[in-house]
Each structure stands twice: as structure tokens, then as C-alpha cells.
Amino acid sequence: MATTFAQRQAMSTLNKQAKPRTSRLRQIKRAVYAVGLGTAGFMGWSMYTTRNPSDQMPFDPSKKTLVLLGTGWGSTTLLKNLDTTNFNVVVVSPRNYFLFTPLLPSCTVGTIENRSIMEPVRLLTRHKEREVKFLEAACVDIDVDAKQLVLERHTNSDAILTGKGKVDEEPFKLNYDYLVVGVGGTVNTFGTPGVEEHACFLKEMADARQIRRRLMDTVEKASFDDVTEAERDRLLHMVVVGGGPTGIEYAGELHDFMEDDLSKWYPELVDRVRITLVEAMPNVLPAFDKKLITFTQDTFKENNISILTRTMVKEVKEKTFIVQNPDGTRSEIPYGLLVWATGIKAQPITNKIRQKFPEVQTNGRGLLVDEYLRVKGAKDIWALGDCAVSSYAPLAQVASQQGKWLARKFNHLSNDDLITDLFLQMNAKTRPFKYSSQGSLAYIGSEKAIADLPFFNRNITAGGVATFWFWKSAYLSELLSLRNRTRVAIDWASRWMYGRDLSRE
């Protein structure tokens, strides 16, 4: 007997109701499992490929030799993005790792462990298609006519970086066809007496280790019962010279160390600790918005960090330093630890290259480059990062963008096996380098950060705890590899669970 339309519709409704509905909770669980499995699979694949590099093509005598000086932001980004099948690439640097400098202040107090922000160069060179040679040496001279570099090896990398130490062997020479100079800069003491002998710098990993050792030394000395009250106050006076992002972030990290860890393990000392930041300019963080400057100053005031603006350091002694006050008078201030976090100046090899072209290389801060990053007056030499003088500020993100831009141009222009004049090709085929600001971030202590970010034709400014989490996520994303991101994330979690390591080393 045929069913009516109403009966068929009723049966269909009953069948639909009979089908079990998947709950939203079950859907969420499935999604979580899928994401978890995908993440585990990606991390497993990443770990395997990192530890098991594939075979590489050997050096090709028919290819040009491209030498990269330095393993900083510019050179490392260039190497990471470079197609090495087009060149025989040689990397020369006194350190065999890339250092993520924005997190260097965190290493000085144990918030992050040193190796977490160090990326070995050979993890990059070994994963390129063609073999890339790495030489741990310092370039001390150049013959631009013969296209030769003079290199020196020292007893240890710290000696090379500081320019002090015994040379292992006689200098040796390295030929190049194309040269990219990315040696960065060194600390500028502005000729202030005593800085080299008594202050700590914050530029290299060796500096962070020195600060950590000296910080713990002063705290342990101050804990002795036979120390006078005046000497204890001197030892526990921590001074930061320089109100830029590096100085501000170190002062913030130092405050957190005192507040979170010293208060628990040295309760008799924590109330006597003083932190002073000295800045010669009228304000700290001059590149940031005025609202953020005010927010930083207010936060430092809440954290009992003294800020001395319009104050210039005239001399640094073993236990005291002399400043010129805003009114022109001079004062002598005792200290236990003094960290010098001011500007930069040119490396010795940068000056050597400048001297080869005295007519056009007239800026003592570094190598003058054109809009294609070519060293003015030179042929087949490019410069990027802090050692290059252009219309852009010496920032890590500038160097990184320069490295990516130059890698793209090399990859595009070197498709032909025979390159007669890469300079002429650049003029004919490429657009000049243009920097795109991604904004500025700085940590100011007490789990607060500030951000000055571009948004279309205006800037967005923010400061506080929420910005602190944005600062963390931004720095995690900027780290060079998943390996570093994992290590830094673990360090942050470990500090939250167990506190900072108080060991001297």
C-alpha cells in the first residue's frame, strides 16, 4: 500500500531524530587531538631534519666565491635566504653562532639561559644545497685590488671578539669575488676614561656572562658580616648607563631579579639594593612616543629605579664614577656594578675598508652605502647592518630586512653561470632597498612592556601587562629556529616554576 506524503515526511523526521548527534564537546576534543597530533608531527619532523642534514653539492670551480663577513642579523638572514647553488659561499666570523640580541638582557640575570638564544652557524650552513664553508676567524685587513681578505685566528672566540688575546698562527689570506660586510659595531665609550677597565658592556654573550658573574659577586660580598654599612651600600648600588632600549630592558630585568629572587634568598639585603639609570639626553627611549616615555618613567618610579637624565658620565673608577649634573656641577657616586649600554661605533675592519676609499668614505660611524647596499667607491662589496651607514637607524630589524632583500637580489640576478658585473645588473634590474618599520618593543620590568607599532598612516602605542605578553610572542616568533623557540619557552616556564638560577656562572 502506497504511503502518503505526510507519512513519508513523518518517517523522515523520526529517522533524523534517531541519528545520534555529535556533541560540541566531542568536536572540540577531536579538534584538540588533531592539533596536538599535527604539532607533535611537525616538531618530530623538525627535530629529525635538524639533526640529519642531507648531502650537499661540493664547491664548483666555475662558480663565483661569495664571502660573508660576520654572523649578525644581516649576514645570518642573508645566508638563511640565499640560494647557495649559484655561488661558492664562505662565512667568516669570530663567533660560530648567531646571537638573538634583543633577549640578551634576560641572560644577565638567569631569566633565559645563554645557549637558548644562540643558533650555531653550522646548523644553517649544513642545511644549504651547496657546501658552505665556515671559518672562525677575524678579518683584520683587505686588499680590494687583489680581492683578498687577511684573517687571524685567536686562542678563543671571546679573545677574537674583544680584540685581545694571543694569535694562534700567522695571518692567512682568503680570495673573494663578491664580499658582503656584516660585522656590526662595537661599544662606543665616547672616550670616557675608565670605562674599558671597570664597566661591563652588553653587546656579546661574553658580556652577559661577565655581568652575571659580577652581579653575584657583589651580592655575595655584601652578605658578609664584617662588611661595613657604607661598603654594603656601595656594593648593592647597580648602575646602568644609557637610556635606550638595551639599558631600559636590563634595568627592568635587574629589578625583577631583585624583586622575585633576591628577596627570597637574600632577604637581609634586598631592601638596600638601589638601581640607577643614567642618561645624557633629556629623556630615556628618545625613539619612542612621549606617552610611552612617561609610562616607562612612572613604572620605574613605582619600582624604585632612579633615572638621572641630562647627566653625563665623565669618568669611571674602580668603585665610583663621576658625573656632570644638569647644573654643570660634578658628583662622585659609588657603585658595585656598572653596565655601559650606550651607542655603537665602527669595528676595526670597517675602518680598514673605509681607509681604502678616503674620497667617498667620509663617515666615521661606518661604511657609506648606496640604495642598493653597495659600498660607495668599492666594486663587488656590499655592507649591511650596523656597519653600514644609510638613511636608516642601526636596528636589528633593519639589518634583517637588508639581509632578506640582498638574498633575493643575489638569487634573482645569479641565474646565469657567468656574471660579468653584478653591480650593473642591479642598476638595470632591481629596485632600491626600502626599509619597512615593524615598530618598536621594550620590556620595562614587573611584567610590563611598551610597544610603538605602525598601523597604516599612524602609530599605535600600548604599555602594560597585555603588551608584555605581546612582547613575548613577538620575540618568540622572531627567533631563528624552532629549536630556539622551544628552549626560550622552556626557560620562561622554568623561571615561573622554580625561579632564576642564582649560580655565579
Side-chain angles (χ1 to χ4, degrees):
M1 187 174 87
T3 58
T4 65
F5 174 77
Q7 289 174 328
R8 289 197 302 268
Q9 199 166 16
M11 291 176 62
S12 175
T13 302
L14 289 172
N15 289 335
K16 288 181 179 178
Q17 290 177 350
K19 290 180 180 179
R21 291 184 177 180
T22 303
S23 66
R24 289 189 176 182
L25 181 60
R26 187 175 299 175
Q27 291 177 343
I28 293 174
K29 285 183 177 179
R30 289 176 178 175
V32 171
Y33 289 152
V35 171
L37 288 173
T39 302
F42 173 76
M43 293 190 68
W45 172 82
S46 176
M47 287 187 290
Y48 177 82
T49 54
T50 299
R51 299 189 62 182
N52 298 275
S54 57
D55 294 335
Q56 295 177 297
M57 293 185 291
F59 266 42
D60 185 348
S62 67
K63 301 290 185 181
K64 301 285 187 178
T65 298
L66 171 63
V67 176
L68 309 181
L69 285 185
T71 51
W73 282 92
S75 299
T76 303
T77 307
L78 169 60
L79 175 63
K80 186 177 180 181
N81 293 276
L82 184 66
D83 182 2
T84 56
T85 60
N86 298 315
F87 301 96
N88 295 318
V89 181
V90 181
V91 181
V92 178
S93 176
R95 64 183 190 193
N96 68 344
Y97 57 88
F98 165 77
L99 181 65
F100 190 80
T101 50
L103 287 176
L104 191 59
S106 299
C107 295
T108 61
V109 294
T111 305
I112 293 174
E113 291 305 316
N114 298 348
R115 292 193 178 275
S116 298
I117 63 170
M118 299 163 67
E119 182 79 6
V121 174
R122 295 187 184 276
L123 286 184
L124 295 175
T125 61
R126 188 62 183 84
H127 286 84
K128 306 303 287 187
E129 288 192 56
R130 187 180 299 282
E131 178 188 2
V132 177
K133 289 186 178 179
F134 173 74
L135 301 176
E136 189 179 65
C139 182
V140 295
D141 205 352
I142 180 173
D143 186 336
V144 293
D145 296 323
K147 289 191 172 182
Q148 282 187 335
L149 302 175
V150 180
L151 309 180
E152 280 185 354
R153 285 173 287 195
H154 290 60
T155 52
N156 60 75
S157 59
D158 287 351
I160 301 177
L161 291 169
T162 59
K164 302 174 183 178
K166 183 180 178 182
V167 178
D168 284 350
E169 300 175 5
E170 289 295 320
F172 61 101
K173 295 181 179 181
L174 174 68
N175 295 323
Y176 70 88
D177 293 301
Y178 303 114
L179 175 67
V180 177
V181 184
V183 295
T186 187
V187 179
N188 194 348
T189 65
F190 302 99
T192 307
V195 174
E196 294 277 358
E197 295 81 6
H198 306 299
C200 293
F201 299 136
L202 191 50
K203 185 69 174 173
E204 300 288 345
M205 186 52 73
D207 301 329
R209 290 197 295 265
Q210 182 186 20
I211 291 173
R212 191 168 180 174
R213 287 194 294 266
R214 192 170 296 185
L215 173 62
M216 295 314 303
D217 280 348
T218 57
V219 172
E220 293 295 350
K221 288 178 182 177
S223 66
F224 276 73
D225 294 334
D226 58 351
V227 175
T228 64
E229 296 300 307
E231 177 67 3
R232 184 173 286 113
D233 288 337
R234 179 192 72 81
L235 288 168
L236 296 177
H237 185 202
M238 313 299 175
V239 178
V240 183
V241 180
T246 301
I248 291 293
E249 291 195 329
Y250 174 69
E253 290 282 358
L254 186 58
H255 165 268
D256 290 353
F257 170 69
M258 302 299 177
E259 188 72 18
D260 300 338
D261 301 276
L262 201 71
S263 60
K264 295 181 176 64
W265 312 117
Y266 301 84
E268 72 282 4
L269 300 179
V270 67
D271 291 335
R272 307 187 68 155
V273 175
R274 291 184 300 137
I275 303 174
T276 301
L277 188 140
V278 182
E279 171 55 47
M281 301 294 288
N283 296 300
V284 297
L285 299 173
F288 282 74
D289 186 89
K290 290 182 179 180
K291 294 179 182 178
L292 298 179
I293 295 174
T294 302
F295 180 78
T296 301
Q297 292 173 336
D298 291 343
T299 301
F300 273 27
K301 187 176 181 179
E302 293 174 3
N303 293 339
N304 296 318
I305 300 176
S306 301
I307 300 178
L308 303 179
T309 56
R310 303 179 188 271
T311 305
M312 186 176 296
V313 177
K314 306 302 290 186
E315 184 180 358
V316 178
K317 300 180 181 180
E318 184 179 1
K319 297 181 179 181
T320 62
F321 67 104
I322 299 173
V323 298
Q324 181 175 301
N325 300 308
D327 59 3
T329 61
R330 295 197 175 193
S331 304
E332 189 166 359
I333 305 173
Y335 72 91
L337 170 67
L338 189 146
V339 175
W340 190 271
T342 59
I344 60 173
K345 65 179 181 180
Q347 294 275 13
I349 183 57
T350 303
N351 291 325
K352 283 286 182 69
I353 298 175
R354 281 198 313 108
Q355 293 166 7
K356 305 295 181 180
F357 314 99
E359 298 82 8
V360 291
Q361 292 294 331
T362 56
N363 193 311
R365 193 179 67 78
L367 296 170
L368 285 167
V369 296
D370 64 11
E371 63 270 27
Y372 298 99
L373 305 181
R374 302 173 302 192
V375 175
K376 292 185 177 181
K379 183 179 180 181
D380 299 333
I381 302 178
W382 290 259
L384 67 175
D386 291 353
C387 67
V389 179
S390 63
S391 58
Y392 306 115
L395 301 173
Q397 58 178 287
V398 173
S400 179
Q401 290 185 28
Q402 288 174 335
K404 290 179 182 178
W405 181 89
L406 196 55
R408 287 197 302 269
K409 302 315 167 188
F410 279 169
N411 295 342
H412 174 69
L413 295 171
S414 58
N415 291 330
D416 298 330
D417 288 336
L418 296 176
I419 304 174
T420 56
D421 194 333
L422 206 54
F423 273 38
L424 293 178
Q425 288 190 46
M426 276 200 170
N427 277 339
K429 298 183 179 181
T430 66
R431 293 181 179 180
F433 169 77
K434 186 176 181 180
Y435 167 64
S436 175
S437 176
Q438 304 301 309
S440 302
L441 296 168
Y443 179 63
I444 60 175
S446 296
E447 296 193 345
K448 295 179 182 179
I450 56 174
D452 194 348
L453 306 174
F455 185 74
F456 291 101
N457 294 325
R458 59 189 295 267
N459 275 22
I460 296 177
T461 60
V465 177
T467 311
F468 165 69
W469 289 102
F470 175 76
W471 172 85
K472 275 194 167 185
S473 62
Y475 277 10
L476 270 181
S477 66
E478 289 296 322
L479 284 161
L480 210 60
S481 66
L482 179 62
R483 169 182 173 273
N484 284 141
R485 295 186 192 106
T486 304
R487 285 189 166 190
V488 169
I490 291 173
D491 287 344
W492 279 337
S494 177
R495 186 214 59 83
W496 180 76
M497 291 186 292
Y498 303 111
R500 295 171 179 83
D501 191 338
L502 298 179
S503 302
R504 182 176 178 275
E505 296 299 332

